[in-house]
Amino acid sequence: MKLTKKAAGFIVLGALLTVALTGCQSNDATPPTTGQNTANEQSKGEGATNANASESSEEKGTEAIKEGSMEKEGNVVLKELAFVYNEHTIAISDTANEEQMEQMLGKPDNLKSHTYSADDGTNMDTLIGFTEKVYTYPGLEIKTISIPEGKQDSIFHIEITDPKYTTVRNIKAGDSLETLKNAYPEGKLVGDGAPNEEDDFRYEPSNYVDVMSFHIKDAKVESIQIYSLLD
């Protein structure tokens, strides 16, 4: 009888130990699951961050703007492709009608206007319907163009021969080639650059559309052209 009670006691004790061990194993299994979930959440978070970074990079890529397509206040290139006169800075792609031109530069000596057409003999089919105006001042010529549908005139060509009109880096007609090179170290001579021969010194942004060209003669700046190639 005593043995039976002892056996029963061992059975009960064994059952309790089994339950206790099972509970411990269950508790031990919980942390790895939690850790795995945390890792998954971190992975998802990193994936989202990477995706956002990728999207941000793509957005920045689409924000790249061709020089010459923005107002000069927000475009370094357009600030460079300009000249200064009486505290007015006049740049390629600036919009300027006849009244504005007169306010900045005075009344021109001559003003010509031409609207391109299929039979005007210029063979400029891509400009049909566009109106070009040429403002001529002593030592300065400015060309503007306006597209059909009444958009404002936009400056696309400037030629300077008078030293009173200076570039934004203070280069003018008559300056030496050395002075020019110091002011525009990014530029280069197109030809051999022999000091006693004629050559052109070009400052050209990376878009290959907007250009500043200095004609050199006898190692001096003879004229300055600032222009944008028309599509």
Side-chain angles (χ1 to χ4, degrees):
M1 187 68 177
K2 289 181 179 180
L3 289 175
T4 304
K5 288 182 178 180
K6 285 183 179 180
F10 283 131
I11 291 171
V12 172
L13 181 60
L16 290 174
L17 287 174
T18 301
V19 171
L21 288 172
T22 302
C24 289
Q25 288 175 353
S26 176
N27 290 336
D28 290 340
T30 301
T33 303
T34 303
Q36 187 175 0
N37 290 339
T38 303
N40 288 338
E41 289 172 1
Q42 288 177 346
S43 177
K44 288 180 181 178
E46 290 173 359
T49 302
N50 291 337
N52 290 337
S54 177
E55 288 174 4
S56 175
S57 176
E58 289 175 3
E59 287 175 0
K60 287 181 180 179
T62 59
E63 289 173 0
I65 299 173
K66 170 184 166 185
E67 292 91 335
S69 62
M70 291 177 60
E71 294 180 2
K72 68 176 181 292
E73 285 76 10
N75 190 303
V76 174
V77 173
L78 290 188
K79 287 181 180 179
E80 293 290 345
L81 298 178
F83 73 95
V84 180
Y85 178 70
N86 283 347
E87 298 184 353
H88 293 292
T89 301
I90 302 169
I92 288 297
S93 294
D94 275 354
T95 55
N97 57 31
E98 294 178 24
E99 183 180 349
Q100 291 168 326
M101 292 288 285
E102 189 167 338
Q103 287 175 353
M104 293 186 294
L105 298 166
K107 189 173 182 179
D109 288 356
N110 193 27
L111 173 59
K112 294 181 181 179
S113 180
H114 174 75
T115 300
Y116 289 93
S117 63
D119 57 354
D120 63 4
T122 61
N123 294 321
M124 299 292 286
D125 292 344
T126 57
L127 297 180
I128 291 174
F130 288 60
T131 299
E132 179 183 309
K133 294 178 183 177
V134 182
Y135 298 81
T136 304
Y137 300 87
L140 174 68
E141 183 180 86
I142 297 179
K143 295 180 181 181
T144 67
I145 196 157
S146 62
I147 66 172
E149 294 144 9
K151 189 172 181 180
Q152 283 187 298
D153 298 350
S154 176
I155 296 173
F156 76 94
H157 192 280
I158 300 167
E159 184 168 3
I160 301 169
T161 55
D162 192 314
K164 70 182 177 183
Y165 306 107
T166 67
T167 71
V168 291
R169 296 191 191 182
N170 202 33
I171 293 296
K172 61 187 181 300
D175 282 344
S176 69
L177 178 58
E178 280 305 308
T179 301
L180 173 62
K181 286 180 176 179
N182 289 334
Y184 290 91
E186 312 96 323
K188 63 179 180 180
L189 288 164
V190 177
D192 295 332
N196 296 322
E197 296 179 9
E198 293 189 48
D199 203 342
D200 287 308
F201 183 91
R202 288 166 67 91
Y203 167 71
E204 189 173 24
S206 59
N207 61 5
Y208 306 108
V209 173
D210 305 309
V211 178
M212 182 180 286
S213 179
F214 303 83
H215 186 68
I216 307 300
K217 186 176 182 180
D218 297 327
K220 291 184 178 181
V221 177
E222 184 178 61
S223 63
I224 305 168
Q225 287 192 55
I226 311 171
Y227 58 90
S228 182
L229 299 175
L230 297 177
D231 294 334

